[in-house]
Each structure stands twice: as C-alpha cells, then as structure tokens.
C-alpha cells in the first residue's frame, strides 16, 4: 500500500533567488559557476613550489567510501533493493517515515559489514551502537539518518594496494592506508532535478538501503594512490560478495578530503570533494584540487573549508557549500534499536539459535581468498608476471576465462596470457564488451591455441582465425582453418620455391643480408608470409632462407 501511495514522484518546487529555502535538498545541491580549469603539468603528491623559493608542497588525501551492501532487502525494512526500478515503487511505510513504524535490523547487512571488516584487518566490536544523525534534505523523509557515530561495527584496519611507478606497469610498489572505521548506515533517497520546469522530483527507492561507510585515514598524497586504493577495495568487496560495488550504478561512492601544506608544518585547511563515482574521475578530481589549492596559496589567497563537486566535463572541482560554520548534526542514540551484540566461538551462549546471532569466527572461517592472495597464486601456479595478475583480477571474469583456457589447451600458460591480454582483451575493449559477453568462448580459444601449438597453423593464421571467431557465427577454429585454407604448407619443396621466388624479386635485400645486415632477413620472412597468407612456418622459412643465402 505504501508503494502505491508514493508511486507518483513527490513534486517540490525549486527555490529561486531570494526565496526562503523550505523543503528543499539544501545548499549542498546548488549548481555553481565553474572556475576555469587549472592547466598544470605538475603531478600531485610532493608538488614543487612556485617561484618564491619556498619549500615544496605536500598533499594529504583521506577518503570516505560508501558501499551499498549486496542484500535483497533494505537495512531496516523488508523493501526490495533493485537498481533502476520505477520511481517510488520500492518504498515501505518505514522508508517513507510514516508515524508508528519501527526499524528491524537486516542480519545479512550485519554479516556483510563484519565480513568486510575482517577482510580489511579490522577489530570487530562485539558491541556497537546506532545513532541518529539529523539533517534536513527533501530525500531524507525522517529528517535524520540512522548511522553508527559513537561505536561502529569495525575499527582500526588497513588496506594494502599496489600502483605503478612512473606509469610503468612492470614497476609496482605496494602501499598501505589505515582504515579508521566501518559503520552501518542508511542511504537517502534520490533528488531528480528538472531544470526546464524548475522543480525537483524525489525518488525514495534508495531510501533505507544498507550502506557500509569505510573511513580511510589521510595516508595518501595523490589521485593515483587514492584511485588504486579504491580499485583494490572494490575488488575485495566483489570477492567477498558484501557489495557489488558497481560505481556506475552508485553502489560505490567516494568523498575525498584534500589539503596541502609545507613539510614540517601543520596540515592545511581541507576541502571535501563529494560523491565521485569513478576511480578515474577520483584521480582527476584529487589532482586538480591539489593544484588548485597550491595555486590559491601561492597567489596569496586562502583555502576555504568547503564542500566541492567534480565536473568531469570541465575537468575541475566547483564549490557546493562552505563548511566554515560547522553543521550541528545533533547526534543522539537511536532509541528504537538496542545495542548490536556480536559473538565469537568463546562467547557464544550454549543452546543458541545460530539463525538469531552473528558469529564472527564463523564468518572468518568462510572468508574467500582475497585479491592479494589470488594474485600470488596466479604468479606461482602459472609463472606469469605480477603485473599480468593485476590485469586478470581487475577485469571482471578474465581470471576465470584464463584458467579455463589453460585447462583446455596444451600451450604454456606464459604464452596463453599473451593471447588473453593482448588479443582477447584488445577485442573486448574495441567492442566495449565484458568478458561474459565475448562471442569467443574459452573452449574455442583453447582449440585455436591447440592448433597453433601442434603446428597446424602459424601465429598470423591464428590471428585471422580469431578475427573470424569474433564474428560469432558459431564455427569452430578447425572449420575456419579448413574453409579459409589457413593450414600450414606441409610440402617443403613448395615452400622452397616460394622462398626462392621472394629472393629473386628482392635482390637489394638479399645483397644487404650478404653484407652482414641480418635484420633485413626478417623482412624477407614477412614477404614469404604475405605470399602464403600466413600459411608458412616462420622457423622453417628462416632455415630455408638462411640456407639459400649462404650458397
């Protein structure tokens, strides 16, 4: 019934200049004029000083990350959680904050938070508390959010992540950021702005969806570090299944706190860049904000303690609201929820119904291998490079695809990885497809690599077969080889005649090789391959050419 009452989007007039802002999403939703983007070739982090000869600048970056918990229902109500459902179709009486409704804690959300805390090396509080955080937005019907401000479910953890040095994939360093806390809280609804009609529509489908807020200490100094940390956290959440963490769907949203200061001095005034939903945009937003603050300070200005938004089209941050006067959220204990009590094996009371409690040790024992462990196993098991293991895990489903191919082919995994990362991944990016959407199955690719490994086709012919497989016509690699006549030439006499003809048609190259320029030999091999349409064995061609050139 609540869903039918609220199915029509709530209509709230947009406040104009000079109007009293009543029931509106507040100044945080204002659109401000964007400043000119700062053109700077300097990298964030330890930034060089200006022309005044002062010490270089040091940037400080901390993150607050909201991850939507992967659950069928909301944190305190039984309403379904579904992306892109019709507006206000998934709203219970409690979500709409109707009088007399009470919260009922979702066990799945608690388990997801504990699982995430354990994976991030946190201490799990056996007793945690819920609080009300008061603020007034149109998409927050109750006028407060239920969160965990005083005593969160998990504290004092750490996250290790790796990033490339100087943009070189084969030079990676591992760094660690401290996790201050992980807390459970409700999401708000969504405000949909209609600029044409100067009005704001409210969709409460998201109101009450369970969130984990992961608060990272300010241990980073650049956008590149922050993006690497978020990508690693995203992989961990997806591995655990505690969150799908799809940033494009708003399931992982990042707020970045940024400041700059000179070494040895106190931290500078920080700004907060809100609601970034892409790792790439996060890096750009932080690096821009660092350079903006440095330019402001070097020109004699001051950095305001304010909230900003990142405009990805302009490539810059724009002001939303100032935070000079600290907002009073009037935190208070949530009177309708008792303390959240968790147990371990030692403290679990006898004869307890396991469906009614959350056992920390039970969850710990069932943790899957985390991405860092899986990378090590990939390197040790298949002999691939560490940077290749990162690519396999970063692309959803690519590691499973690689392992399926390895199981079904006789080719060395070190060779297989080249076909996966260079050819398969190249096609996927070219057609903007996910691994699971690939028209080339792991079985077909394995069959193709087996033909190559057995010497049935050459590598250039294998590329032609792969191109045909991408058309998705359902033909097997062997069928394509037979139809296109791509099999290697088995008649050595025929191959010798082709090599002789190529040499006779390219006497200048032959003379260069005889003078000692062996690099030109590769050109002759390529010409033979072109003549045979990739059907010649390059090793055999080289042997024939070398023999005839020495005569």
């Amino acid at each position: 019934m609540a869903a039918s009452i609220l199915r029509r989007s709530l209509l709230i007039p947009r406040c104009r200049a000079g109007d009293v802002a009543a029931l509106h999403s507040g100044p945080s939703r204002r659109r401000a004029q964007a400043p000119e983007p700062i053109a700077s070739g300097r990298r964030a982090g330890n930034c060089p000083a200006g022309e005044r000869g002062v010490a270089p600048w040091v940037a400080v970056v901390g993150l607050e990350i909201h991850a939507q918990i992967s659950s069928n229902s909301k944190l305190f109500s039984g309403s379904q959680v579904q992306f892109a459902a019709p507006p206000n179709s998934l709203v219970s009486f409690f979500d709409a904050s109707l009088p007399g409704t009470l919260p009922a804690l979702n066990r799945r959300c608690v388990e997801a938070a504990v699982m995430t805390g354990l994976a991030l090396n946190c201490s799990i509080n056996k007793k945690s508390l819920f609080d009300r955080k008061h603020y007034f937005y149109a998409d927050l019907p109750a006028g407060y959010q239920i969160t965990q401000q005083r005593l969160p479910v998990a504290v004092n953890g750490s996250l290790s992540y790796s990033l490339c040095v100087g943009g070189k994939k084969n030079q990676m360093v591992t760094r660690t950021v401290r996790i201050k806390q992980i807390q459970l809280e409700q999401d708000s609804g969504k405000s949909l702005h209609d600029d044409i009609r100067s009005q704001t529509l409210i969709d409460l489908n998201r109101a009450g969806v369970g969130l984990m807020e992961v608060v990272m200490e300010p241990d980073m100094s650049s956008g590149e570090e922050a993006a690497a940390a978020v990508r690693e956290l995203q992989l961990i959440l997806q591995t655990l299944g505690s969150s799908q963490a799809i940033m494009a769907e708003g399931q992982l949203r990042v707020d970045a706190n940024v400041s700059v200061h000179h070494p040895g001095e106190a931290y500078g005034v920080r700004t907060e860049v809100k609601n970034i939903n892409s790792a790439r945009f996060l890096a750009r937003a932080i690096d821009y904000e660092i350079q903006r603050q440095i330019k402001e300070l070097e020109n004699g200005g001051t950095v305001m303690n304010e909230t900003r938004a990142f405009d990805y089209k302009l490539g810059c941050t724009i002001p939303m609201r100032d935070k000079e006067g600290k907002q009073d959220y009037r935190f208070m204990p949530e009177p309708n929820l008792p303390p959240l009590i968790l147990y371990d094996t030692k403290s679990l009371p006898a004869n307890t119904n396991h469906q009614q409690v959350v056992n920390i040790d039970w969850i710990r024992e069932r943790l899957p291998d985390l991405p860092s462990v899986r990378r090590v196993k990939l390197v040790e098991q298949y002999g691939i490079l560490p940077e290749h293991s990162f690519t396999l895990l970063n692309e959803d489903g690519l590691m499973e695809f690689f392992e399926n191919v390895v199981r079904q082919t006789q080719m060395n995994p070190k060779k297989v990885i080249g076909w996966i990362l260079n050819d398969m991944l190249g096609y996927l990016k070219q057609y903007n497809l996910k691994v699971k959407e690939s028209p080339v199955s792991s079985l077909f690719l394995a069959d193709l690599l087996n033909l190559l490994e057995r010497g049935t086709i050459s590598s250039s012919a294998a590329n032609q077969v792969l191109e045909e497989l991408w058309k998705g016509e359902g033909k097997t690699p062997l069928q394509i080889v037979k139809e296109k006549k791509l099999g290697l030439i088995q008649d050595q006499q025929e191959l010798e005649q082709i090599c002789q003809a190529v040499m006779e048609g390219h006497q200048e190259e032959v003379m260069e090789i005889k003078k000692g320029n062996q690099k030109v030999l590769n050109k002759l091999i390529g010409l033979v391959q072109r003549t045979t349409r990739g059907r010649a064995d390059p090793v055999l061609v080289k042997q024939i050419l070398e023999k005839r050139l020495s005569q």
Side-chain angles (χ1 to χ4, degrees), residues 222-457:
S222 71
E224 183 182 20
E225 287 186 55
V230 168
R231 287 192 191 99
E232 187 69 11
L233 175 63
Q234 183 182 33
L235 280 175
I236 290 173
L237 295 174
Q238 290 170 344
T239 300
L240 296 173
S242 57
S243 173
Q244 294 181 21
I246 303 171
M247 299 190 81
E249 295 184 3
Q251 295 177 3
L252 196 69
R253 308 191 293 271
V254 185
D255 302 337
N257 294 295
V258 183
S259 68
V260 297
H261 66 282
H262 290 304
E265 296 182 358
Y267 285 0
V269 176
R270 72 181 183 185
T271 58
E272 183 180 25
V273 187
K274 294 282 287 185
N275 288 333
I276 306 169
N277 63 354
S278 157
R280 183 163 56 92
F281 291 161
L282 175 66
R284 288 174 58 193
I286 290 173
D287 288 343
Y288 173 88
E289 185 58 22
I290 290 170
Q291 299 302 336
R292 185 193 72 82
Q293 292 186 21
I294 291 172
K295 183 177 180 181
E296 185 74 29
L297 294 170
E298 288 182 348
N299 289 336
T302 58
V303 174
M304 297 289 293
N305 181 13
E306 63 183 351
T307 298
R308 301 177 72 88
F310 179 66
D311 188 317
Y312 70 92
K313 293 181 180 177
L314 297 174
C316 63
T317 62
I318 54 177
M320 292 172 64
R321 66 179 185 273
D322 70 72
K323 300 170 73 172
E324 294 298 331
K326 188 174 181 181
Q327 185 171 354
D328 181 11
Y329 290 114
R330 296 183 294 121
F331 283 103
M332 61 171 280
E334 169 52 61
N336 294 323
L337 285 169
L340 173 59
I341 306 298
L342 307 177
Y343 298 91
D344 55 21
T345 304
K346 292 181 180 179
S347 61
L348 189 66
N351 302 320
T352 302
N353 183 348
H354 293 280
Q355 297 298 318
Q356 300 297 319
V357 298
V358 174
N359 187 330
I360 300 169
D361 290 334
W362 187 88
I363 295 174
R364 192 195 313 272
E365 291 167 2
R366 285 158 179 78
L367 285 178
D369 284 343
L370 297 180
S372 57
V373 176
R374 294 166 80 181
R375 291 189 195 102
V376 172
K377 288 185 176 180
L378 284 170
V379 172
E380 291 177 350
Q381 184 174 353
Y382 301 112
I384 63 176
L385 297 175
E387 55 266 29
H388 292 163
S389 69
F390 276 87
T391 307
L392 287 177
L393 262 73
N394 287 346
E395 297 290 334
D396 186 28
L398 193 61
M399 185 191 75
E400 291 79 9
F401 189 93
F402 166 73
E403 291 188 315
N404 286 337
V405 173
V406 169
R407 278 194 292 269
Q408 299 172 91
T409 184
Q410 298 137 11
M411 183 176 280
N412 188 306
K414 292 181 181 179
K415 293 182 181 179
V416 174
I417 193 70
W419 282 89
I420 295 288
L421 300 188
N422 298 329
D423 299 276
M424 279 297 299
L425 196 55
Y427 275 113
L428 288 170
K429 292 187 181 300
Q430 179 182 339
Y431 294 101
N432 195 27
L433 295 175
K434 297 178 181 178
V435 175
K436 63 183 179 182
E437 298 170 332
S438 169
V440 182
S441 67
S442 59
L443 175 61
F444 275 10
L445 183 60
D447 287 346
L448 173 60
L449 298 184
N450 282 334
L451 292 175
L452 179 60
E453 190 69 9
R454 289 196 294 264
T456 306
I457 57 174

Side-chain angles (χ1 to χ4, degrees), residues 57-69:
W57 295 98
V58 176
V60 179
V61 179
L63 301 178
E64 297 171 11
I65 303 168
H66 291 87
Q68 180 179 314
I69 296 171

